[in-house]
Amino acid sequence: MKIISTPHKLSGHITAPGSKSHTIRALLLSAMAEGQSKISNPLQSADCLSAAAALPLLGARVDFGDGSEWTVSGGGKNLHLPSDVVNVGNSGSLLYFLSPICSTFEGTSIFTGDESIRKRPVHHVADVIKQMGADAWLAVPGTRTCPLIVRGKADGKNVVRTEGSISSQYITGMMMAALRLPGGLQIELSDPKETPYLSMTKLWLEEFGASVQMSEDFKKISVKPPLKMSGKDFSIPSDWEGVAFPIIAALLTDSKITINSVDFSGSQGDDKIVEVLRSVGADIAEDKEAATLTVAGGKPLSALSLPDQTLRVPISGFPDAICALAVAACFIEGKTIIEDAAVCRRKETDRISALKTELEKLGAKIEEGPDWMAIYGGRKLHGGKVQSYKDHRIAMAAACLGLALDEGEAIEIEDAECASVSFPGFYELMNGLGCGFKEA
């Protein structure tokens, strides 16, 4: 589907969906536990539904109820080798979390996914699974991508050493797999990135009774399983990755909106976007008691008072914000350098390259390097046709940019339906604020 985005002013209230990161962790850990777990406010997105669909293959069950609360009947001690090929759809989280878990079963598991997933690297996952005492290889010789074949059974007797800058997701997968290893697992990382997600995983494992030791620099992680994992009841917090888009939509237009049910627990690194935007003059007010953010646009955003008139954003701790920040940076006077961003090239697409290509179509000036991109803000942008690369965050970022163009301009976004991967109903909910998104 194509979406047309045109200039609009926004007003009103919006509630971001539940967190994808929290929802998938809740599903998999609940499946590993004994008894029932209730998950309220789950994100009902494509990725989370892919995770839910995988649970019956392992011997767990999911009852979706009316959608607002999911009940997981865990497999516990009867959790077993997947009974079929695991198709993760578009979910890198599910692929990287579940494959190490499945290395703890006797037998062979096969993982694949959609076209995008089959382009994402998994050779590093195969390497750590071998270090865990199991075996893994890639089905197509000479490739580094899915299908991935895993043969257990891991024993966890070795210290697993891997590069922490590749992705936090497969490290989370090893931490989860450690719950099924009698002696747990020791992990040593070089140059760890995306560390807030590792802290999130630590909190989840501790919720289920595991003992997790993590050094301050995140280079050493030790996980010891609990004697028994029992089902729990959870409420999934709202997704900061989703909150980012209404924030920039309001800031870039002469608008004022309120975002409800915001998570101020600090469990999601993506809340850093508020601090970054405030540093260039954004008017964003927090009400932690009411769990709201009020965003007022219309004020100029400027890096001109910063050193070298440059806003520097090390993004390795919250890389999923790069799409929203890149669009915002086009409207920030001065120069914005998004750095420490190599992991952004290994997401649904190479986001650095894709953002440069598509934003330059609209008049932006952007430079890129191996792990950075520099955006020269304040240039006059115009409409045009852009590709989403079937990447949900690129599609939503482009839609928000169209709202801030001059009257008479428009952006047409290809494959815009991919927004449902993390933000179901994005266009409809944003239209409730007056965005005027239309299907072409």
Side-chain angles (χ1 to χ4, degrees):
M1 127 178 139
K2 298 178 183 179
I3 285 289
I4 304 295
S5 175
T6 54
H8 281 80
K9 290 177 63 174
L10 319 181
S11 63
H13 292 245
I14 189 171
T15 299
S19 162
K20 181 176 76 167
S21 299
H22 280 292
T23 300
I24 294 179
R25 283 167 173 79
L27 283 167
L28 293 181
L29 292 171
S30 297
M32 296 170 70
E34 298 279 357
Q36 286 192 343
S37 297
K38 294 186 183 298
I39 305 171
S40 60
N41 193 40
L43 175 62
Q44 299 183 61
S45 73
D47 279 9
C48 295
L49 293 173
S50 291
L55 300 195
L57 303 180
L58 305 171
R61 299 193 312 276
V62 184
D63 181 348
F64 296 104
D66 64 2
S68 64
E69 182 179 86
W70 296 351
T71 301
V72 178
S73 299
K77 64 179 182 297
N78 295 319
L79 205 71
H80 56 67
L81 189 77
S83 56
D84 199 351
V85 172
V86 180
N87 188 322
V88 303
N90 187 247
S91 179
S93 296
L94 180 59
L95 170 64
Y96 296 136
F97 292 0
L98 189 55
S99 49
I101 293 172
C102 288
S103 76
T104 66
F105 298 116
E106 194 81 51
T108 302
S109 308
I110 302 173
F111 293 84
T112 189
D114 67 7
E115 181 182 2
S116 173
I117 282 291
R118 295 195 306 276
K119 294 178 181 177
R120 297 179 72 171
V122 292
H123 61 286
H124 54 293
V125 182
D127 175 67
V128 297
I129 286 174
K130 291 175 182 178
Q131 292 188 54
M132 289 167 62
D135 198 6
W137 63 96
L138 309 180
V140 181
T143 67
R144 309 175 84 185
T145 56
C146 282
L148 171 68
I149 301 172
V150 176
R151 179 176 293 162
K153 183 175 182 182
D155 56 29
K157 292 180 180 178
N158 301 320
V159 176
V160 178
R161 296 180 174 89
T162 189
E163 186 179 344
S165 63
I166 298 174
S167 169
S168 67
Q169 291 174 324
Y170 75 112
I171 299 166
T172 282
M174 287 190 287
M175 293 172 69
M176 290 182 172
L179 300 178
R180 291 185 42 81
L181 300 172
L185 192 64
Q186 305 287 324
I187 304 169
E188 293 185 359
L189 306 177
S190 61
D191 194 22
K193 305 293 184 184
E194 299 186 301
T195 53
Y197 295 109
L198 300 180
S199 296
M200 180 189 295
T201 301
K202 178 178 184 289
L203 292 173
W204 273 102
L205 298 190
E206 290 173 339
E207 185 71 27
F208 278 92
S211 173
V212 183
Q213 302 298 319
M214 190 176 284
S215 63
E216 288 188 9
D217 61 5
F218 294 90
K219 290 185 177 181
K220 292 187 177 181
I221 301 172
S222 170
V223 180
K224 293 184 178 179
L227 293 176
K228 181 181 179 180
M229 288 179 63
S230 299
K232 303 277 185 178
D233 293 348
F234 308 101
S235 179
I236 300 299
S238 60
D239 187 11
W240 267 99
E241 297 161 4
V243 167
F245 295 104
I247 286 177
I248 64 165
L251 286 180
L252 303 183
T253 57
D254 186 12
S255 305
K256 185 174 183 179
I257 67 167
T258 297
I259 306 170
N260 299 322
S261 302
V262 176
D263 174 26
F264 291 112
S265 70
S267 66
Q268 301 179 61
D270 299 82
D271 57 3
K272 178 79 171 177
I273 193 171
V274 170
E275 177 185 330
V276 171
L277 293 171
R278 280 177 173 163
S279 73
V280 291
D283 185 350
I284 305 174
E286 299 178 359
D287 186 333
K288 293 184 178 180
E289 186 174 342
T292 62
L293 280 177
T294 299
V295 186
K299 291 179 59 177
L301 302 178
S302 176
L304 300 183
S305 63
L306 300 177
D308 301 322
Q309 300 184 345
T310 299
L311 171 64
R312 293 185 174 272
V313 186
I315 206 167
S316 65
F318 57 117
D320 285 332
I322 191 171
C323 299
L325 279 174
V327 164
C330 292
F331 296 85
I332 297 172
E333 290 286 342
K335 182 179 179 182
T336 297
I337 299 178
I338 301 175
E339 55 194 2
D340 201 8
V343 70
C344 299
R345 293 194 182 275
R346 298 187 290 270
K347 295 294 184 177
E348 283 79 346
T349 188
D350 179 341
R351 285 179 173 159
I352 293 176
S353 176
L355 287 165
K356 180 178 187 296
T357 297
E358 301 310 311
L359 293 176
E360 285 184 338
K361 289 179 182 178
L362 308 175
K365 180 183 177 183
I366 298 174
E367 298 172 348
E368 66 170 301
D371 67 344
W372 58 271
M373 64 187 303
I375 302 162
Y376 295 83
R379 294 168 61 92
K380 191 174 185 64
L381 302 186
H382 55 76
K385 295 183 180 181
V386 299
Q387 299 294 323
S388 70
Y389 300 78
K390 298 183 179 179
D391 184 324
H392 50 127
R393 302 197 198 286
I394 291 178
M396 291 185 283
C400 292
L401 190 156
L403 301 170
L405 296 178
D406 287 344
E407 200 64 38
E409 299 282 1
I411 292 178
E412 181 179 307
I413 306 151
E414 294 278 354
D415 297 315
E417 70 276 7
C418 62
S420 66
V421 165
S422 63
F423 201 141
F426 171 75
Y427 303 107
E428 294 82 2
L429 288 169
M430 291 292 285
N431 280 349
L433 297 175
C435 289
F437 296 139
K438 294 181 180 179
E439 188 172 345

